[in-house]
Amino acid sequence: MKEIGGYFELDRLTSDKGEYYKDLVSLNTARNALVYLVKAKRINKIYIPYLLCDSVSLVCDKEGIAYEYYHTDENFQPIFNRELKDNEYLYVVNLYGQLSNERILELKRQYKRIIADNIHAFFQKPVDGIDTIYSCRKFFGVPDGAYLATDCMLDEDLPIDNSGSRVSHIYGRVKDGATAHYAEFKANDASFKQLSLMRMSELTHKMLSEIDYEAVRAIREENYSFLHQQLVNKNRLNLRLPEGPYAYPFYCENGMAAKKRLAQKKIYVATLWPNVLELDGTIEKDYAENILPLPCDQRYGRDSMDFIIKEIL
């Protein structure tokens, strides 16, 4: 059986048009993009959603920044009724690309100081005047890399990262499959917690400059639309079609058991927020357990989508 999902191998859709975000600040990791903002804007407190991995809270702990959590509703919208003080920011996560730029702009007008996390929305261009963070490895076969849209430049001479030791799992998956190099992928993932703030490596720049972004975007949108067409009547989530979507979020009762069943068929579906599973009685725990982020990316076509749908049903 063909493996579906999991970490990315080397992208095969190539182009000579260069990087998608040529004019943004390019850094080594998304969490360090937040470090950059904290330093440049002298942020002293951030409000973050419960439905989020621990990367942001770890940055806050490391940088000595206060933080508090807030809830989101069933449509991934922030539930936040406080007025921000000076040097306080609302961290808005665009989960599964379900927040349009119009909605992000509304939040900016309402709260004044927000940070948009577009980790799940690489192809959604930043809104003017809103600090926006992007991750590259969530969408492409690269070892690291992040972009930051901001009008506040950090007055530091940052070193350039070196990604040479982080590519073995990417190249290895092409030849041996995902399972053979999964331990390397996990080790690479864990190493990001220790990486200091640096510019994007030359290797990652090179890899990102050769991707055919319009082809990637089109494939993702076609796959997402097909999954939605076939599963919409069984999916309790009310979804919009994002630009070049990250994954198709399918709400499934007993989601954790379903993930194990799918893995037996070599369909790998991640649990995105394992830290949230401790929040008993919350919508965040429900979503962390039961939303299946079904792969719909550029590695797959209609046959793979048909196989996923068959197994889901």
Side-chain angles (χ1 to χ4, degrees):
M1 291 180 289
K2 178 181 179 180
E3 294 175 318
I4 299 176
Y7 67 88
F8 283 84
E9 68 266 30
L10 194 65
D11 278 285
R12 296 172 180 174
L13 297 169
T14 60
S15 173
D16 59 359
K17 295 182 180 180
E19 295 177 53
Y20 194 74
Y21 289 118
K22 301 175 184 178
D23 299 325
L24 300 190
V25 179
S26 53
L27 300 165
N28 57 343
T29 67
R31 68 186 69 200
N32 279 330
L34 179 57
V35 172
Y36 186 106
L37 279 178
V38 166
K39 291 176 176 290
K41 298 208 161 189
R42 298 181 181 178
I43 298 171
N44 57 35
K45 186 171 185 177
I46 301 177
Y47 292 90
I48 59 179
Y50 282 104
L51 199 56
L52 182 67
C53 69
D54 61 5
S55 59
V56 173
S57 60
L58 290 174
V59 166
C60 291
D61 289 336
K62 182 179 179 181
E63 298 299 318
I65 304 302
Y67 60 94
E68 287 186 39
Y69 290 99
Y70 67 87
H71 290 283
T72 47
D73 67 17
E74 62 183 7
N75 295 317
F76 307 107
Q77 301 288 330
I79 302 174
F80 188 79
N81 299 313
R82 302 177 63 169
E83 185 173 336
L84 296 174
K85 299 177 182 178
D86 291 342
N87 296 326
E88 293 185 350
Y89 279 74
L90 182 68
Y91 194 85
V92 176
V93 182
N94 191 359
L95 294 165
Y96 293 108
Q98 291 304 300
L99 301 183
S100 66
N101 274 356
E102 290 75 17
R103 178 57 179 149
I104 292 173
L105 186 56
E106 288 177 0
L107 293 170
K108 167 72 171 179
R109 290 169 178 159
Q110 183 175 358
Y111 299 110
K112 305 298 188 292
R113 291 179 297 280
I114 73 169
I115 298 169
D117 177 328
N118 271 0
I119 304 301
H120 281 188
F122 182 88
F123 290 92
Q124 188 169 329
K125 296 291 182 67
V127 179
D128 288 344
I130 297 179
D131 301 313
T132 307
I133 296 172
Y134 297 90
S135 173
C136 302
R137 67 192 186 92
K138 298 293 186 183
F139 279 77
F140 311 107
V142 293
D144 45 48
Y147 293 107
L148 171 63
T150 183
D151 57 5
C152 188
M153 297 296 107
L154 181 61
D155 188 20
E156 286 187 22
D157 187 17
L158 298 177
I160 298 174
D161 202 353
N162 186 340
S163 302
S165 62
R166 304 187 200 117
V167 295
S168 61
H169 64 287
I170 296 173
Y171 289 108
R173 178 166 181 169
V174 175
K175 178 177 179 292
D176 306 316
T179 304
H181 296 272
Y182 184 70
E184 296 165 54
F185 162 73
K186 292 296 291 182
N188 183 59
D189 196 54
S191 72
F192 293 134
K193 295 180 181 179
Q194 310 302 325
L195 283 180
S196 59
L197 174 59
M198 289 183 275
R199 300 284 181 187
M200 184 185 291
S201 75
E202 294 179 2
L203 174 60
T204 302
H205 270 301
K206 175 65 174 174
M207 296 171 81
L208 288 168
S209 70
E210 296 179 350
I211 295 171
D212 187 339
Y213 291 99
E214 290 310 311
V216 168
R217 173 176 173 154
I219 292 170
R220 285 176 173 268
E221 291 179 359
E222 181 178 351
N223 287 339
Y224 184 103
S225 296
F226 183 69
L227 288 172
H228 189 56
Q229 178 185 1
Q230 301 299 315
L231 298 174
V232 61
N233 292 331
K234 297 183 179 297
N235 192 353
R236 96 173 196 191
L237 300 177
N238 180 26
L239 300 173
R240 67 184 286 265
L241 171 61
E243 303 169 62
Y246 163 70
Y248 179 75
F250 179 73
Y251 183 92
C252 175
E253 299 287 352
N254 300 313
M256 301 300 279
K259 292 174 187 177
K260 293 180 181 179
R261 289 276 301 275
L262 291 171
Q264 294 172 0
K265 300 290 186 176
K266 295 189 177 181
I267 301 173
Y268 303 124
V269 179
T271 299
L272 298 182
W273 314 288
N275 52 301
V276 179
L277 298 177
E278 302 173 0
L279 301 177
D280 291 336
T282 64
I283 189 173
E284 286 86 0
K285 180 180 180 180
D286 180 29
Y287 275 15
E289 287 183 335
N290 297 317
I291 290 181
L292 309 182
L294 301 179
C296 65
D297 57 75
Q298 63 269 22
R299 296 172 289 180
Y300 311 114
R302 182 60 58 86
D303 287 347
S304 295
M305 297 302 102
D306 281 331
F307 182 59
I308 290 173
I309 291 164
K310 173 178 174 292
E311 295 303 324
I312 289 289
L313 295 179

